[in-house]
Each structure stands twice: as structure tokens, then as C-alpha cells.
């Protein structure tokens, strides 16, 4: 069964649905979410996307990301995908909304109205190997240096979110998740 994405206007009002690959080929604006998980030491949980992903395989990215299903609340979808991709659950807090349009690879475009969630977790992730081939906890200064020094190692959306929001906002998200 093809995954259907929720198409939205620039105010995040649903205007229809579309098949996932077609939406990405046409660059249609759709609802999405990005999850950033921290441990109590304030380190960021990154995942390396599995090589077999339909785009951006092998790149480091945020803890989890995805799309809500039609009729599914965005926060519930974020918790579902965190469990499916990284094998754990934690409380998530909605902290931002970001809209972007990025060419990701092979003619595919991520044009997303992205809901950003943060959470705290101190266990050991158990990622689904079809979703994530590796994971790492990174202190923010180390992550920020890597994003600047080796940007090609990271997903386009993680780089864009970092550039668009800035280090101070990343620090605020970290603070919200770890208190």
C-alpha cells in the first residue's frame, strides 16, 4: 500500500492527500515532523539513515522524522515514528514550526510544513536497520562543528533547520528537553 501524505497550505491547513513519492517528485507542500532527542547530559541523538532509504541514505540526521497519516495527530505520529525508527518512546514537546523546500536527491523535493518536537531519553536506542544504520550521542558544540566542517555528511533538512534557526534556538530546544 502506498503511503499517503497530508497536503497543506502555508498555514498548515489540510487541503488534500497525495501519494508519497509523487508528492516528493512534484515538490508539493505537505505536513511533516522532525524529532530531536537529548539525554540528561544534553547530548543530541543523531541517526545515520539506512543506505536503502529512498533518499538521503547514509547521511546523519536528527533523531527521527516522518509524516503523519491522514486522521493521525502530528504528535502521535512523531511518537509512533520514534518507536518504529529508533525503538524507544519518550515524552515529546512541540517547540517550533518550520517551512522549507529542499532538493534532496534524484529529482525529489522535501517541501514541508515541519513540526519540530524535542524529548529526553537516557537509554540505548534499538533502531530498525531498515530505517537507521547507526546512531550517536553528540554534544551540541561537536554537532555544530561537524555541520559546519562536514556538511555533506548530514541530511539537507538537518543542515537547513540548523541554519534557519541558529545555535541559540538549538540551545533553547536542548534546555526544554532536558529540564
Amino acid at each position: 500500500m502506498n503511503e499517503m501524505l497530508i497536503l497543506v497550505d502555508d498555514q498548515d491547513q489540510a487541503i488534500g492527500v497525495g501519494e508519497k513519492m509523487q508528492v516528493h517528485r512534484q515538490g508539493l507542500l505537505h505536513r511533516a515532523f522532525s524529532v530531536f532527542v537529548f539525554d540528561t547530559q544534553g547530548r543530541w541523538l543523531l541517526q545515520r539513515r539506512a543506505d536503502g532509504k529512498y533518499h538521503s541514505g547514509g547521511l546523519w540526521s536528527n533523531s527521527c522524522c516522518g509524516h503523519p497519516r491522514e486522521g493521525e495527530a502530528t504528535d502521535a505520529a512523531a511518537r509512533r515514528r520514534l518507536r518504529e525508527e529508533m525503538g524507544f518512546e519518550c515524552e515529546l514537546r512541540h517547540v517550533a514550526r518550520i517551512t522549507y523546500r529542499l532538493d534532496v536527491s534524484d529529482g525529489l523535493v522535501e517541501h514541508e510544513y515541519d513540526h519540530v518536537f524535542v524529548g529526553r531519553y537516557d537509554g540505548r536506542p534499538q533502531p530498525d536497520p531498515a530505517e537507521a544504520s547507526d546512531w550517536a550521542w553528540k554534544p551540541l558544540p561537536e554537532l555544530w562543528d561537524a555541520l559546519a566542517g562536514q556538511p555533506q555528511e548530514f541530511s539537507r533538512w538537518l543542515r537547513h533547520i540548523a541554519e534557519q534557526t541558529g545555535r541559540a534556538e538549538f540551545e533553547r530546544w536542548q534546555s526544554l528537553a532536558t529540564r
Side-chain angles (χ1 to χ4, degrees):
M1 183 171 160
N2 292 332
E3 185 177 349
M4 302 301 283
L5 304 186
I6 301 168
L7 304 176
V8 297
D9 64 17
D10 62 358
Q11 300 298 308
D12 195 33
Q13 297 301 309
I15 58 172
V17 295
E19 190 274 324
K20 181 178 183 175
M21 290 304 291
Q22 193 63 30
V23 167
H24 287 110
R25 282 188 198 101
Q26 294 179 355
L28 302 175
L29 183 61
H30 58 280
R31 188 173 296 149
F33 57 83
S34 295
V35 177
F36 294 88
V37 174
F38 306 86
D39 66 7
T40 53
Q41 297 175 46
R43 298 178 301 175
W44 292 61
L45 176 62
L46 300 177
Q47 68 155 279
R48 183 187 298 265
R49 288 172 59 85
D51 289 336
K53 297 293 281 185
Y54 68 102
H55 71 73
S56 306
L59 298 179
W60 287 99
S61 198
N62 49 298
S63 308
C64 160
C65 56
H67 309 96
R69 296 173 178 152
E70 189 173 18
E72 181 181 35
T74 306
D75 60 339
R79 287 191 305 275
R80 171 182 54 81
R81 282 305 286 164
L82 183 60
R83 185 176 54 255
E84 292 170 355
E85 288 186 21
M86 300 304 288
F88 69 88
E89 295 181 35
C90 66
E91 184 178 332
L92 297 177
R93 175 186 280 187
H94 190 269
V95 294
R97 292 175 181 86
I98 301 169
T99 303
Y100 52 81
R101 182 183 174 94
L102 303 166
D103 294 329
V104 288
S105 65
D106 301 321
L108 299 177
V109 175
E110 285 288 9
H111 189 190
E112 297 187 330
Y113 191 104
D114 191 29
H115 294 261
V116 178
F117 293 88
V118 298
R120 186 178 74 204
Y121 180 72
D122 283 304
R124 182 176 174 83
Q126 299 293 319
D128 176 346
E131 299 291 342
S133 63
D134 200 2
W135 59 273
W137 291 106
K138 294 283 185 194
L140 182 57
E142 193 175 311
L143 171 59
W144 211 255
D145 288 347
L147 284 166
Q150 298 93 32
Q152 71 282 358
E153 297 289 322
F154 297 90
S155 67
R156 291 281 319 274
W157 58 91
L158 177 58
R159 293 183 346 232
H160 181 78
I161 290 169
E163 291 166 7
Q164 185 175 358
T165 61
R167 187 171 179 157
E169 185 67 1
F170 267 44
E171 290 171 348
R172 186 180 78 82
W173 295 350
Q174 179 183 39
S175 174
L176 289 170
T178 57
R179 62 172 134 147

